[in-house]
Amino acid sequence: MAFELDEVHEDFRAAVRRFTDERIRPVVVESESQGHPPEGLWKEMGAAGLLGLLTPAEFGGSAGEGGENTAVTVLAEELARACGGIAVGALVSAYMAGPHLVRHGTPQQRQDWVERIATGTAIASIAVTEPGAGSDVAGITTKAVRTETGWRIDGRKMYITNAGIADVLVIGARTEATGHRGITTFVVPADTPGLSVGQPLRKLGWHSSDTREVVLDGVEVPADAVLGAENRGFYQIMAAFQLERVVLAAMGLGHAAEALTMVTEYVKGREVAGAPLTHLQTIRHRIAAAEVELEAARALTYQAADRLDRDHPEAGRSVAAAKYFAAKVADHVVDEALQLFGGAGYLEETPIVRHERDVRILRIGGGTDEIQLEILSKRLIP
């Protein structure tokens, strides 16, 4: 594998960085305050081609030329440099919920939703996690029971990103009593009777991301609401987890890179005993060590993305390694940067505080550190 991005992806990175600097950074404070990005930002992102990287051209996207997972990884890294909450909302809609419709949707489901998600005129959410079932997807208890006209869904979902602003939800429900093979996914418009959402959850970080409980109380959907194959939802969800985990690793890269940029500039201008902090070897070495950790995490993350693009037999292992290592590195690097900011790093108006809040979830969401280590350890100790 080449550990450097090709020209196409480097050009894409430059384009995403320009968009981030010009259109996202100016609305971060507003988004953090109101709990979600400005409505118009979704359409701007869609018009810029940022939401259709996995979408076929016939539906307004750009997929088909290869390297799509790597492009999504670049996007996630660059968006997170500005704001994790804004980044995750867009990434969940276009690259965690949306791909289920692209890959498994019927012609009608794809016609109804895929282009709208890619252009930012509709927002998608995926509702799998429950109060008692997080990383253990097979443990979900939300039930879908067959009726004369389709299905009735009952249950509760928790920690659902975009739940309060979504137009459509991909919902995982149990259609057989137990086991991995008893789960089916459904396409459910947000205005379906019986589907409701709770108040926005107050979170440590991701303040720009709308996150809520979803309640399904006798939600009636037609037979053609099934997304993909009946009783195959677990496998569809787990396959989609691969890119989700790389995306979260890449967000960690973005947080760490931004933290290093900010703290490097800060210590250059900060004087102690009449000399810049950079004159102190311990400061220079801490920043250099953090940069090495970041580069190692970046190599693992982009290797994982590349292996997904090439359907490499070791892609799953690479994804678990990248998710585990990049999230841990990002958590450490951002914390190191905050430490070097000193007292200023503890003030809300200092952006490093937002990165400190936002980076912590990356070791939990999409499969915890422990889940990734379990995946990796099974190769060593069956």
Side-chain angles (χ1 to χ4, degrees):
M1 170 192 172
F3 286 88
E4 300 291 336
L5 292 179
D6 58 29
E7 185 177 354
V8 172
H9 286 101
E10 287 292 2
D11 288 346
F12 179 65
R13 183 187 294 280
V16 176
R17 186 166 295 188
R18 284 194 300 272
F19 182 91
T20 300
D21 290 343
E22 294 172 5
R23 307 307 306 162
I24 294 181
R25 290 187 190 276
V27 301
V28 168
V29 173
E30 173 189 352
S31 301
E32 291 283 287
S33 175
Q34 68 183 12
H36 58 83
E39 183 177 348
L41 185 61
W42 295 88
K43 295 178 182 178
E44 291 185 45
M45 295 181 74
L50 305 185
L51 305 180
L53 300 173
L54 299 183
T55 303
E58 63 185 290
F59 294 105
S62 59
E65 298 182 2
E68 289 88 355
N69 291 299
T70 300
V72 174
T73 304
V74 170
L75 174 67
E77 179 177 356
E78 292 301 321
L79 292 180
R81 292 189 67 138
C83 179
I86 293 177
V88 76
L91 294 165
V92 163
S93 180
Y95 303 115
M96 298 180 198
H100 285 272
L101 289 153
V102 172
R103 294 170 186 154
H104 307 294
T106 64
Q108 187 62 53
Q109 289 169 343
R110 297 177 92 198
Q111 181 178 326
D112 288 345
W113 296 111
V114 170
E115 183 170 355
R116 294 177 62 193
I117 293 168
T119 57
T121 56
I123 298 171
S125 176
I126 181 163
V128 175
T129 302
E130 298 182 356
S135 297
D136 179 19
V137 174
I140 66 173
T141 59
T142 293
K143 293 182 179 179
V145 178
R146 200 184 300 274
T147 67
E148 291 183 2
T149 58
W151 299 84
R152 185 182 69 250
I153 307 174
D154 290 278
R156 294 169 60 200
K157 301 294 184 179
M158 183 56 81
Y159 314 124
I160 306 304
T161 300
N162 294 341
I165 60 175
D167 299 286
V168 63
L169 293 89
V170 174
I171 293 176
R174 183 161 295 286
T175 43
E176 287 189 358
T178 59
H180 299 79
R181 294 181 59 84
I183 294 171
T184 302
T185 54
F186 295 86
V187 181
V188 184
D191 59 0
T192 303
L195 190 158
S196 61
V197 299
Q199 292 298 308
L201 297 174
R202 297 180 64 187
K203 310 183 296 293
L204 170 67
W206 281 359
H207 292 174
S208 296
S209 167
D210 182 277
T211 311
R212 309 187 191 213
E213 179 184 28
V214 174
V215 178
L216 303 135
D217 185 8
V219 174
E220 300 276 353
V221 297
D224 61 7
V226 170
L227 178 58
E230 187 178 327
N231 294 324
R232 295 292 296 176
F234 173 83
Y235 303 99
Q236 294 167 193
I237 291 165
M238 296 310 294
F241 258 154
Q242 299 303 306
L243 179 58
E244 177 178 342
R245 288 168 175 168
V246 174
V247 162
L248 294 170
M251 288 181 65
L253 303 180
H255 286 301
E258 185 74 3
L260 278 177
T261 296
M262 289 191 295
V263 77
T264 300
E265 290 304 309
Y266 178 77
V267 297
K268 284 179 180 178
R270 177 72 170 172
E271 290 193 357
V272 174
L277 277 176
T278 49
H279 282 201
L280 298 176
Q281 186 183 68
T282 183
I283 300 297
R284 298 197 305 273
H285 284 193
R286 287 173 75 171
I287 292 175
E291 182 67 30
V292 170
E293 292 180 44
L294 173 57
E295 285 303 309
R298 184 174 282 121
L300 268 180
T301 301
Y302 280 93
Q303 181 190 55
D306 177 73
R307 285 182 165 179
L308 284 181
D309 280 327
R310 295 186 290 114
D311 197 23
H312 192 282
E314 290 291 307
R317 187 192 65 79
S318 287
V319 167
K323 171 65 167 63
Y324 169 75
F325 188 70
K328 290 267 287 187
V329 163
D331 192 23
H332 176 250
V333 169
V334 173
D335 192 65
E336 279 284 274
L338 187 147
Q339 181 70 23
L340 294 180
F341 266 97
Y346 205 65
L347 300 178
E348 279 289 345
E349 58 263 33
T350 307
I352 191 66
V353 172
R354 186 178 68 254
H355 289 282
E356 176 86 0
R357 290 196 308 261
D358 287 355
V359 78
R360 188 58 182 85
I361 186 61
L362 301 180
R363 295 178 56 196
I364 300 172
T368 62
D369 289 352
E370 292 75 16
I371 290 292
Q372 309 315 313
L373 289 174
E374 183 64 11
I375 292 169
L376 295 167
S377 69
K378 283 181 178 179
R379 292 286 305 274
L380 303 173
I381 312 170

